[in-house]
């Protein structure tokens, strides 16, 4: 349901007094968000194509660049407001430790940058001690990912805060720019959200109910939060479009470059980077959900959660079940466009179940139906939490 924003305080109209200009640190944090997710996907491709990497490997440098840019620009914004900001500007800021003045987004970006840079030597020590990671969520990677999410979430709510300050402005050009920046920041956050769960959402798992349970609990939460945070007819579609373009861009560009395994055993002899994953078709349920949301603005959030949650899991199951089967089994998916022929250098290229579902990846009809029931409930719960989270973000003005 639509809500009316309260009147802006003098501090909250600070941006409006600068002729509707978008602060530079907002652009910097969105750029940082782009860097961290690009570097992360490149790093995953590095691990499955080359193996061991060093502290200053190219993907790591891109990730660190994102951390440094976010930390420096957001940190400077905090210091500027604290020591040189006007009284009105300080009135529209969050006070930290009784002394510093900051926007909420800048605060998240600074803490995220500190976590990311702290994780770098920790990750290097971990590799030197234990070798190559066998999972994405190793302890140092968990610290790194929390920092990345901090920066990406900070970038998103920074844009939301500025957008809310411009609610009374009729500058359509600025409004459109802010919506684009929001779609980018939220789309990058959705991409890293998917990356965290990618081990459970690979094409080999697409005919198991657990695949849909993970998706049901994870994606409605973020999609409906963003859809409620910024009231636009096509918010969810815009966010999933950025995710799709980001995933396809890395899928098509990274494998163009040469790569050679440097860690044994090498069973699959390759000479170019192996791709990450073809994106989930989230854009299809997103379009459906945006159309439904536009027609049901009169409903309360509980009823809306039920309708939207059921719709999401129903549409997602239909499109992803068949898409997963296509990516797994069809020879037409084994090309640069879909990337299903990419294979880790340590895996046997003649593995019997490389291009078909293994028996342990399939379930009986009763097991599948039971799992989909859990996914349905999870989707409704996730939707309701997402709407509440979005209501909170929609009110952010600091």
């Amino acid at each position: 349901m639509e809500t009316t924003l309260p009147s802006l305080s003098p501090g909250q109209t600070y941006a409006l007094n600068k002729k509707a200009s978008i602060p530079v640190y907002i652009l910097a944090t969105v750029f940082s968000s782009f860097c961290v997710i690009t570097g992360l996907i490149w790093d995953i491709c590095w691990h499955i194509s080359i193996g061991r990497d060093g502290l200053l490997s190219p993907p790591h440098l891109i990730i660190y660049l994102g951390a440094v840019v976010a930390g420096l620009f957001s940190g400077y914004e905090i210091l500027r407001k604290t020591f040189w900001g006007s009284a009105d500007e300080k009135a529209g800021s969050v006070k930290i430790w009784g002394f510093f003045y900051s926007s909420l987004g800048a605060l998240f970006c600074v803490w995220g940058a500190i976590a990311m840079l702290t994780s770098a030597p920790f990750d290097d020590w971990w590799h030197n001690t234990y070798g190559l990671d066998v999972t994405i969520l190793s302890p140092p990677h968990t610290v790194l990912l929390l920092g990345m999410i901090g920066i990406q979430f900070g970038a998103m709510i920074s844009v939301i805060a500025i957008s809310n300050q411009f609610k009374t402005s009729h500058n359509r050009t600025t409004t459109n720019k802010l919506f684009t920046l929001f779609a980018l920041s939220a789309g990058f956050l959705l991409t890293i959200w998917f990356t965290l769960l990618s081990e459970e959402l690979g094409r080999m798992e697409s005919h198991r109910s657990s695949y849909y349970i993970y998706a049901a609990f994870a994606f409605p939460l973020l999609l409906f939060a963003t859809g409620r945070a910024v009231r636009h007819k096509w918010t969810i579609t815009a966010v999933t479009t950025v995710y799709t373009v980001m995933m396809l861009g890395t899928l098509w560009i990274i494998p163009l470059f040469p790569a050679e395994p440097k860690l044994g055993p090498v069973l699959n002899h390759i000479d170019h980077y192996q791709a990450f994953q073809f994106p989930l078709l989230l854009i299809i349920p997103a379009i459906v959900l945006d159309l439904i949301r536009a027609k049901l603005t009169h409903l309360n959030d509980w009823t809306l959660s039920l309708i939207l949650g059921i719709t999401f899991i129903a549409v997602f199951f239909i499109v992803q079940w068949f898409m997963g089967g296509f990516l797994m089994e069809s020879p037409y998916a084994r090309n640069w466009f879909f990337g299903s022929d990419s294979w880790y250098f340590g895996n046997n290229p003649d593995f019997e179940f490389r291009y078909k579902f293994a028996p342990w990846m399939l379930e009986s009809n009763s097991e599948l139906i039971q799992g989909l029931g859990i996914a349905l409930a999870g989707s409704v719960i996730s939707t309701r939490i997402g709407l509440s989270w979005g209501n909170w973000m929609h009110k952010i003005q600091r």
Side-chain angles (χ1 to χ4, degrees):
M1 298 176 66
E2 297 290 335
T3 59
T4 302
L5 286 171
S7 299
L8 299 178
S9 68
Q12 293 163 345
T13 59
Y14 176 77
L16 298 180
N17 295 328
K18 300 185 72 174
K19 298 182 179 180
S21 61
I22 299 174
V24 174
Y25 87 92
I26 299 292
L27 303 176
T29 56
V30 175
F31 171 75
S32 298
S33 183
F34 169 76
C35 286
V36 297
I37 186 57
T38 302
L40 177 62
I41 294 177
W42 186 5
D43 190 51
I44 293 173
C45 294
W46 182 290
H47 279 285
I48 63 177
S49 308
I50 298 174
R52 176 74 169 92
D53 53 3
L55 180 64
L56 299 179
S57 66
H60 287 179
L61 292 177
I62 297 297
I63 294 172
Y64 303 152
L65 174 64
V68 170
V69 170
L72 288 179
F73 277 85
S74 298
Y76 172 77
E77 181 67 11
I78 293 173
L79 295 177
R80 185 192 65 79
K81 285 186 176 182
T82 300
F83 294 104
W84 303 289
S86 65
D88 284 345
E89 190 178 4
K90 289 179 180 179
S93 302
V94 178
K95 198 170 185 179
I96 310 165
W97 297 334
F99 181 78
F100 293 102
Y101 291 88
S102 170
S103 67
L104 190 59
L107 185 61
F108 272 101
C109 286
V110 168
W111 283 114
I114 291 173
M116 286 179 62
L117 296 176
T118 301
S119 73
F122 181 28
D123 185 51
D124 193 57
W125 169 84
W126 183 273
H127 283 305
N128 290 331
T129 304
Y130 298 106
L132 187 67
D133 293 314
V134 295
T135 179
I136 290 177
L137 293 178
S138 64
H141 284 179
T142 300
V143 176
L144 175 66
L145 288 167
L146 288 174
M148 288 179 169
I149 291 173
I151 287 177
Q152 294 190 305
F153 181 65
M156 184 177 72
I157 62 175
S158 292
V159 177
I160 292 172
I162 297 297
S163 297
N164 288 339
Q165 292 171 14
F166 278 105
K167 286 293 184 181
T168 58
S169 172
H170 298 287
N171 189 324
R172 183 172 295 275
T173 300
T174 301
T175 301
N176 290 337
K177 287 180 180 178
L178 286 169
F179 180 73
T180 300
L181 288 172
F182 171 77
L184 289 171
S185 59
F188 298 152
L189 180 59
L190 176 61
T191 307
I192 204 169
W193 201 246
F194 163 76
T195 304
L196 287 171
L197 298 171
S198 59
E199 292 179 332
E200 309 298 335
L201 295 173
R203 62 181 183 270
M204 290 186 175
E205 289 79 19
S206 61
H207 282 188
R208 290 179 59 86
S209 60
S210 60
Y211 182 94
Y212 301 95
I213 293 173
Y214 278 103
F217 277 97
F219 296 122
L221 172 67
L222 184 56
L223 294 179
F224 291 114
T226 57
R228 180 59 63 86
V230 173
R231 309 297 169 86
H232 187 286
K233 182 178 180 180
W234 298 109
T235 300
I236 300 178
T237 301
V239 171
T240 55
T241 297
V242 171
Y243 156 78
T244 303
V245 171
M246 187 73 203
M247 291 292 297
L248 288 176
T250 54
L251 175 73
W252 296 338
I253 294 174
I254 292 178
L256 296 176
F257 295 91
E260 182 181 354
K262 295 182 179 180
L263 185 70
V266 179
L267 301 180
N268 181 34
H269 296 275
I270 58 174
D271 55 14
H272 281 73
Y273 276 100
Q274 300 300 285
F276 180 35
Q277 286 193 31
F278 192 82
L280 302 179
L281 298 182
L282 291 172
I283 193 170
I284 296 179
I287 294 171
V288 176
L289 293 170
D290 274 336
L291 291 173
I292 293 177
R293 287 190 316 126
K295 301 291 185 181
L296 301 179
T297 55
H298 61 286
L299 297 180
N300 64 60
D301 283 353
W302 288 103
T303 305
L304 198 59
S305 298
L306 184 65
I307 295 173
L308 294 177
I310 293 174
T311 302
F312 170 81
I313 198 61
V315 177
F316 181 80
F317 171 74
I318 292 172
V319 298
Q320 210 58 49
W321 178 275
F322 291 104
M323 188 63 187
F326 170 78
L327 291 174
M328 189 66 190
E329 299 179 329
S330 175
Y332 295 107
R334 301 165 200 170
N335 50 52
W336 66 269
F337 188 91
F338 294 104
S340 292
D341 55 345
S342 291
W343 198 241
Y344 171 52
F345 69 82
N347 287 343
N348 183 354
D350 298 321
F351 178 54
E352 179 183 0
F353 299 107
R354 179 177 177 179
Y355 293 123
K356 65 179 181 179
F357 291 101
W360 57 86
M361 287 296 178
L362 300 174
E363 296 176 317
S364 65
N365 290 337
S366 60
E367 290 173 327
L368 179 62
I369 293 173
Q370 182 179 3
L372 290 177
I374 297 173
L376 181 63
S379 183
V380 174
I381 294 170
S382 181
T383 300
R384 184 65 187 88
I385 296 173
L387 291 175
S388 296
W389 182 19
N391 286 334
W392 172 75
M393 289 195 292
H394 184 62
K395 298 174 183 178
I396 295 175
Q397 296 185 20
R398 293 174 181 255

